[in-house]
Amino acid sequence: DIQMTQSPSFLSASVGDRVTINCKASQNINRYLNWYQQKLGEAPKLLIYNANSLQTGIPSRFSGSGSGTDFTLTISSLQPEDVATYFCLQHNSWPNTFGAGTKLELK
Amino acid sequence: EVQLVESGGGLVQPGRSMKLSCAASGFTFSNYGMAWVRQAPTKGLEWVATISYDGSSTYYRDSVKGRFTISRDNAKSTLYLQMNSLRSEDTATYYCTRYGHRGIDYWGQGVMVTVSS
């Protein structure tokens, strides 16, 4: 199975900060990497698909980059409503595997 | 609006069976693959099983092969997960998800399954 190493596990930032979260795959997954946001008590929501494509309806402050084994989710200017857990998913090969998650809080 | 609503969870004894359902709405169900994903308490997310849009292909993680069966009824826009010979390690929140060329793009709220005597 492909291992997805996500960092950091926990992140504290201020409103307006630029925030980056990383996922590293144990082997090449091309660009088949998605990013999700999960707020407390809610279903996960797709933010970015295929490494850098913004899902419909998602604010443009969210962006994704990377290919191969190293990927980054960036929030350009953190907003209070961005408090959530973020996780990545590789869908290059079976079984699809997830990062362990990053819990983002406001400082 | 895409909606996925799971049902059928609860407490079950080890070795027994349980069937989860997922009612889909807001999209043409028969056009999409579907998948079940689970998350054990304090653990990470884990893909369980996937079924193609027409039900002709299925994929399972090794730990559930031979015990779990994913199926669908396109006429009812419903996804199922039949879980047999349940073990304590199957205790988790189970999510119904829509699966396409973007990978998983929609998730249900999840349903809790607790395997305990």
Side-chain angles (χ1 to χ4, degrees):
Chain A
D1 298 3
I2 295 176
Q3 306 303 314
M4 300 301 298
T5 302
Q6 186 171 342
S7 62
S9 301
F10 178 82
L11 185 54
S12 182
S14 301
V15 172
D17 281 355
R18 182 181 183 87
V19 170
T20 60
I21 298 169
N22 300 292
C23 264
K24 186 176 183 66
S26 60
Q27 59 188 268
N28 180 20
I29 59 169
N30 300 294
R31 304 183 72 86
Y32 296 109
L33 190 284
N34 291 358
W35 291 99
Y36 301 87
Q37 175 194 67
Q38 186 174 23
K39 295 182 179 179
L40 203 60
E42 297 184 9
K45 180 192 297 184
L46 176 64
L47 301 175
I48 302 289
Y49 64 94
N50 296 343
N52 62 2
S53 296
L54 191 67
Q55 174 72 340
T56 304
I58 301 302
S60 59
R61 63 180 180 274
F62 292 93
S63 64
S65 63
S67 65
T69 61
D70 292 286
F71 300 86
T72 299
L73 171 70
T74 300
I75 307 173
S76 60
S77 178
L78 186 67
Q79 300 302 303
E81 60 266 32
D82 299 336
V83 169
T85 296
Y86 294 83
F87 59 91
C88 62
L89 164 70
Q90 71 80 16
H91 61 104
N92 180 75
S93 60
W94 301 107
N96 291 179
T97 46
F98 296 87
T102 295
K103 188 173 183 180
L104 176 58
E105 293 190 351
L106 283 179
K107 194 179 291 183
Chain B
E1 179 193 4
V2 173
Q3 286 199 324
L4 301 170
V5 180
E6 303 95 338
S7 61
L11 176 64
V12 62
Q13 293 179 328
R16 303 297 292 264
S17 299
M18 177 175 278
K19 188 172 186 176
L20 304 182
S21 299
C22 170
S25 61
F27 65 103
T28 303
F29 183 71
S30 57
N31 285 354
Y32 288 87
M34 300 292 293
W36 290 97
V37 173
R38 68 185 180 185
Q39 185 168 31
T42 71
K43 296 278 186 70
L45 290 156
E46 186 175 80
W47 166 79
V48 176
T50 299
I51 188 166
S52 61
Y53 70 99
D54 61 356
S56 62
S57 298
T58 56
Y59 305 90
Y60 299 91
R61 71 176 304 103
D62 286 347
S63 61
V64 308
K65 275 180 189 174
R67 299 189 300 123
F68 288 13
T69 302
I70 188 172
S71 62
R72 63 191 298 158
D73 185 335
N74 283 348
K76 295 182 178 179
S77 295
T78 302
L79 176 72
Y80 303 101
L81 185 67
Q82 175 69 46
M83 303 183 292
N84 299 331
S85 303
L86 281 160
R87 307 167 180 168
S88 57
E89 55 263 37
D90 296 318
T91 293
T93 297
Y94 285 74
Y95 293 96
C96 168
T97 71
R98 192 176 83 168
Y99 193 96
H101 65 279
R102 300 182 181 185
I104 293 173
D105 59 359
Y106 287 94
W107 300 63
Q109 295 270 35
V111 63
M112 185 68 200
V113 173
T114 303
V115 183
S116 175
S117 54

